[in-house]
Amino acid sequence: MNKFSKIYLSWRKGKGEPRHMVGEILNQNNDILFRYLDYNKAKKEGFNGYPGLSLEKTEHSNVMDLFSKRLINTERNDSERLLKFWEVDPATKEDKLYLLAMTQGINSIDNFEFLADFDITENMNFVTDLAGTSYYN
């Protein structure tokens, strides 16, 4: 199982725009916390916070239910195929924070991504989206 210390929340204005690290998710004694980072550059480009997490508070607790909406529904008929694509061990599919870290919580209808700060180990595999490969060949 890949280990990670935190998950960063990135936001970008749109396709082809730079990503901004606007928050981080931490597991502190089984309380999943979200903390906004310095988001001033992103705010100038239109960032107005993560839906459901007010910018008026810098830290929010018990946020896993909110972020769980971005996870693979493991009750779907094709969930095994999706878990295999993201190299998620089926034994860990109930660990929502781990599932968020491995799948990046990618959603086609917004500009957020969840990027885990993995502890690098020998023979570690990492699946991600690589931008610009078709443009730059």
Side-chain angles (χ1 to χ4, degrees):
M1 178 196 266
N2 294 332
K3 296 189 186 306
F4 56 94
S5 56
K6 65 178 93 174
I7 301 173
Y8 289 102
L9 174 65
S10 77
W11 174 88
R12 63 181 171 169
K13 183 177 181 175
K15 198 172 187 175
E17 299 292 329
R19 289 176 174 85
H20 300 279
M21 298 304 157
V22 294
E24 62 185 358
I25 302 167
L26 308 154
N27 184 351
Q28 293 188 337
N29 301 319
N30 293 323
D31 181 15
I32 308 303
L33 300 175
F34 174 80
R35 181 181 309 142
Y36 279 111
L37 301 173
D38 182 4
Y39 53 79
N40 289 320
K41 285 183 182 177
K43 195 170 184 179
K44 289 177 185 173
E45 294 182 25
F47 175 71
N48 56 11
Y50 187 84
L53 299 175
S54 169
L55 286 173
E56 293 173 10
K57 270 177 68 176
T58 57
E59 193 169 291
H60 301 265
S61 60
N62 299 313
V63 295
M64 202 61 238
D65 283 344
L66 179 64
F67 294 132
S68 291
K69 295 173 182 163
R70 305 184 72 94
L71 299 178
I72 295 168
N73 178 353
T74 56
E75 294 178 17
R76 287 174 47 152
N77 291 338
D78 63 347
S79 67
E80 281 189 40
R81 181 183 58 80
L82 295 169
L83 294 173
K84 185 176 180 179
F85 171 81
W86 288 105
E87 298 189 11
V88 174
D89 180 349
T92 64
K93 71 181 183 181
E94 300 305 319
D95 184 339
K96 293 179 180 180
L97 190 61
Y98 183 73
L99 201 54
L100 184 64
M102 293 299 290
T103 64
Q104 301 170 354
I106 293 175
N107 188 331
S108 62
I109 61 169
D110 66 24
N111 298 323
F112 292 102
E113 265 183 275
F114 295 81
L115 307 168
D117 186 7
F118 286 106
D119 300 332
I120 306 300
T121 59
E122 191 173 336
N123 298 321
M124 179 181 177
N125 291 328
F126 179 70
V127 180
T128 188
D129 176 29
L130 211 45
T133 56
S134 61
Y135 179 78
Y136 291 106
N137 199 8

